[in-house]
Amino acid sequence: MRVPLFYTFVKNPFESLEPFTAKIQEGVEVLKQAVRAYMDEDEEEFDKLSEKVCQIEHEADKIKREIRNSLPKGIFMPVDRFQFFFLIKELDKILDSAEDVVVWLSFKRGVILKEVRKEFLTLLEISTSSVPILMRAIRLLPRAVGFIKKDKQLLKEIIREVRQKEWESDQIAQCIVKTIFNLPHVDCAVGKGVDCLTIHHLLETTKYIGNIADHAENAVDIIRVMIAE
């Protein structure tokens, strides 16, 4: 059967993800440094690292657009075209969340209270640790798309690791929220306690950090569909 001329073949589309995923990993690492600088009340270092996170996110957006433009309609791909674009979208949201964290922190300085400092650092580590595991899944994906059961099984195990990290992140976030709500509120009579604005800032920071693991899990869910038998 003759193939219509408007259909073309392209090289493995997953190769185009390599510079994109490299930016994601770079951005997440810089985010971790920025949050630590914020907690140490090193405003100059925090501002410098925050700007770098935003710059990396901007660079990643340019790469994302280039990937999309390099895959016009009418091409043959080893995976569903729309699933591939959904995967790119979720990967992009990881860096969007990293940018959200530093921008949000910049609105109110020095309010990671000692009561939740340790938990925040744990949340940051657990949530961001889902990203390098996700990158392992993406590197393995080209081999797992097809009939190589061994690679599919290994990829499924990696997917479970990401889901586990997201679950752990949720548990830590819930503990932080519980601690925050149990902090003593401002008592105008004695001038002590935590004001509502600070509580709101802490709660939103918790959400933004946790979103990184959420989007990593969303990405591996898409990968799981791609390799479904």
Side-chain angles (χ1 to χ4, degrees):
M1 184 177 75
R2 181 171 295 179
V3 178
L5 292 177
F6 61 85
Y7 284 106
T8 56
F9 290 93
V10 294
K11 66 179 182 179
N12 190 333
F14 297 111
E15 292 179 6
S16 64
L17 288 180
E18 292 180 8
F20 187 49
T21 55
K23 283 295 177 185
I24 293 170
Q25 289 185 284
E26 180 185 4
V28 167
E29 286 303 312
V30 177
L31 167 69
K32 290 163 65 176
Q33 297 171 33
V35 174
R36 292 191 186 102
Y38 179 89
M39 292 185 176
D40 292 338
E41 298 186 42
D42 187 342
E43 293 194 11
E44 183 178 350
E45 183 70 5
F46 171 72
D47 289 340
K48 181 181 73 174
L49 293 169
S50 295
E51 184 177 346
K52 189 172 181 180
V53 170
C54 296
Q55 179 61 35
I56 292 170
E57 193 278 333
H58 177 69
E59 293 168 358
D61 273 346
K62 290 175 62 177
I63 297 173
K64 177 187 66 178
R65 289 192 293 270
E66 290 171 1
I67 294 172
R68 287 175 172 171
N69 293 337
S70 69
L71 299 172
K73 293 180 180 179
I75 61 172
F76 290 105
M77 295 178 62
V79 295
D80 181 88
R81 173 190 178 86
F82 293 105
Q83 289 175 1
F84 185 76
F85 286 155
F86 280 137
L87 176 60
I88 292 175
K89 184 177 181 180
E90 284 301 327
L91 292 173
D92 183 53
K93 286 181 179 179
I94 292 173
L95 268 186
D96 287 343
S97 295
E99 184 178 37
D100 287 341
V101 172
V102 294
V103 171
W104 181 254
L105 286 176
S106 71
F107 293 154
K108 191 170 175 60
R109 302 300 178 110
V111 292
I112 302 297
L113 305 175
K114 64 180 181 180
E115 291 87 349
V116 291
R117 179 186 174 91
K118 182 178 179 181
E119 286 77 8
F120 262 109
L121 286 172
T122 302
L123 175 63
L124 179 69
E125 287 299 323
I126 294 297
S127 187
T128 57
S129 69
S130 64
V131 176
I133 304 172
L134 168 61
M135 298 309 155
R136 284 167 47 206
I138 292 174
R139 287 193 293 269
L140 184 61
L141 182 55
R143 302 208 318 261
V145 174
F147 303 99
I148 305 177
K149 291 187 176 182
K150 181 180 178 181
D151 288 337
K152 281 189 177 184
Q153 185 56 42
L154 178 57
L155 185 50
K156 289 176 184 177
E157 293 172 4
I158 296 173
I159 289 170
R160 284 193 288 270
E161 287 185 51
V162 174
R163 289 173 174 166
Q164 175 65 25
K165 291 297 182 182
E166 192 279 334
W167 180 84
E168 292 175 8
S169 174
D170 275 352
Q171 300 309 302
I172 297 166
Q174 289 173 22
C175 289
I176 292 175
V177 171
K178 183 177 180 180
T179 300
I180 291 172
F181 277 126
N182 281 284
L183 292 172
H185 292 191
V186 169
D187 186 334
C188 296
V190 296
K192 294 182 179 180
V194 184
D195 63 277
C196 293
L197 187 59
T198 296
I199 290 174
H200 175 64
H201 190 261
L202 292 170
L203 291 173
E204 289 295 294
T205 302
T206 303
K207 181 184 73 175
Y208 287 135
I209 294 175
N211 282 348
I212 294 172
D214 291 341
H215 291 305
E217 183 183 41
N218 291 343
V220 294
D221 286 343
I222 295 169
I223 290 173
R224 182 66 182 85
V225 173
M226 286 180 173
I227 65 169
E229 299 180 351

